[in-house]
Amino acid sequence: MKHNYFLLLLVFLNILCMPKNAYGDEVWSTEEYNVIYLEDRNKTAVWSYGDGRGHIFIDGLGGQFKDRDSYNGYWTQSTSSRRCDTFREGIDGKPTYHWGRFEITFIDPNFPSRWQAKFGLCDQNPTITLNGTPVKSPID
């Protein structure tokens, strides 16, 4: 029986010491709102903004935690200033007609990194700039 407790303690300590993925630890402040790295869906990173009212889907960023570069994707919201003619998949997997293109470039080579992004409405070229600065956690 003591052997089982020892093994359980060993497994628990290994879980605590294992390296963690960057998401969940990544929060940025921008000129408009905070942006949170929610999860990866295969090679697509999913971010949240505006207290969960909007989401950003970034192709190729999922699982990429070092040497980040430039990526493309799209953002969605439940509503926006313009309803698009086409739809994109929203956070719940359902189509939304409130979306736009998104381009991002990471500035710093290591975590946590600042970034600069551009976004636009629907299929329009991204022209509106947004800058992300890492938010320090309370224990930093």
Side-chain angles (χ1 to χ4, degrees):
M1 192 68 154
K2 281 186 176 182
H3 184 68
N4 288 341
Y5 287 121
F6 177 74
L7 286 176
L8 185 60
L9 178 62
L10 186 61
V11 168
F12 179 72
L13 289 175
N14 278 332
I15 291 171
L16 287 177
C17 295
M18 287 173 57
K20 294 174 179 53
N21 288 338
Y23 58 83
D25 293 338
E26 290 190 86
V27 178
W28 299 270
S29 63
T30 72
E31 300 88 346
E32 299 292 323
Y33 36 69
N34 280 349
V35 176
I36 301 167
Y37 197 132
L38 284 183
E39 65 184 9
D40 288 336
R41 293 184 181 176
N42 297 314
K43 295 289 183 182
T44 301
V46 181
W47 293 2
S48 172
Y49 65 90
D51 294 326
R53 290 183 302 243
H55 296 88
I56 303 168
F57 300 84
I58 306 170
D59 298 329
L61 181 61
Q64 184 69 34
F65 302 111
K66 293 182 181 179
D67 301 321
R68 291 174 171 169
D69 196 16
S70 296
Y71 303 89
N72 295 306
Y74 66 94
W75 59 267
T76 65
Q77 289 181 185
S78 53
T79 62
S80 70
S81 60
R82 180 172 172 191
R83 186 181 193 279
C84 304
D85 294 333
T86 58
F87 66 86
R88 294 289 183 265
E89 181 179 320
I91 191 68
D92 57 2
K94 296 179 182 175
T96 178
Y97 288 88
H98 302 281
W99 65 275
R101 292 176 50 197
F102 184 84
E103 298 172 352
I104 186 167
T105 299
F106 286 87
I107 298 168
D108 306 306
N110 298 318
F111 169 83
S113 176
R114 296 168 297 148
W115 48 258
Q116 185 174 69
K118 290 188 177 185
F119 63 96
L121 294 173
C122 305
D123 286 332
Q124 294 176 352
N125 286 330
T127 58
I128 303 165
T129 302
L130 193 65
N131 296 292
T133 303
V135 174
K136 297 268 186 195
S137 72
I139 45 180
D140 285 343

